[in-house]
Amino acid sequence: MTYEHTDFATSTAPADVVRRQYLASAAGDLEALRATLAPDVEWTEMAGFPLAGTYRTPDGVTSNVMEQLGKAWDGWTAHDDTYVVDGENVVVLARYTAVNKATGRPIDVRVAHHFVVRGGLIVRFEQFTDTALVRDAMHG
């Protein structure tokens, strides 16, 4: 019998929840993205990153992070390459690609994301990336 992953859309498995977040983000579907986040989510963008800080609530995350990235960058995408799962912890090795709207300069930078998933929702997120490469693209 072949295993069919028919319940991906509703699965509460931590890796599936995280994967849905990436798919929603890439599609620009902020409503679907918010559906993966816990009401008390803590979402931290790395110090040195343009949007550095910790954001709370699903609306707070999408308005302060995804919507701002969409204003400053064309085609901002996090490509999720490798998943490392340990219980409720999901670490994703990925890369960002985008083109800065102000300078026209592209980025292609490696990133690691650490998610904590509890009860089928993302409760914590922390980003690790080379912030200097991102800043360089923003300043011609």
Side-chain angles (χ1 to χ4, degrees):
M1 180 176 149
T2 312
Y3 174 68
E4 295 286 338
H5 202 59
T6 51
D7 60 345
F8 173 73
T10 55
S11 169
T12 58
D16 289 343
V17 175
V18 168
R19 176 74 179 139
R20 285 202 301 273
Q21 179 275 144
Y22 283 104
L23 291 171
S25 180
D29 186 344
L30 298 185
E31 188 176 345
L33 197 159
R34 285 190 288 269
T36 66
L37 305 176
D40 58 348
V41 64
E42 291 188 1
W43 185 282
T44 301
E45 299 282 320
M46 192 167 185
F49 191 71
L51 304 173
T54 298
Y55 305 97
R56 291 175 176 79
T57 78
D59 283 328
V61 170
T62 54
S63 63
N64 287 295
V65 180
M66 292 75 188
E67 289 180 23
Q68 301 310 313
L69 290 171
K71 288 176 187 171
W73 302 85
D74 279 321
W76 183 278
T77 307
H79 307 266
D80 48 334
D81 299 333
T82 304
Y83 284 64
V84 182
V85 182
D86 177 15
E88 63 185 14
N89 294 284
V90 181
V91 173
V92 181
L93 306 180
R95 62 190 174 87
Y96 291 142
T97 59
V99 176
N100 187 264
K101 290 181 180 180
T103 64
R105 293 183 61 177
I107 58 164
D108 186 340
V109 298
R110 293 295 284 165
V111 58
H113 290 155
H114 174 211
F115 296 86
V116 179
V117 182
R118 213 168 279 151
L121 294 170
I122 296 163
V123 295
R124 280 211 304 283
F125 165 90
E126 188 175 4
Q127 170 209 53
F128 303 88
T129 192
D130 188 335
T131 56
L133 287 175
V134 176
R135 283 202 312 273
D136 286 351
M138 296 172 65
H139 300 293

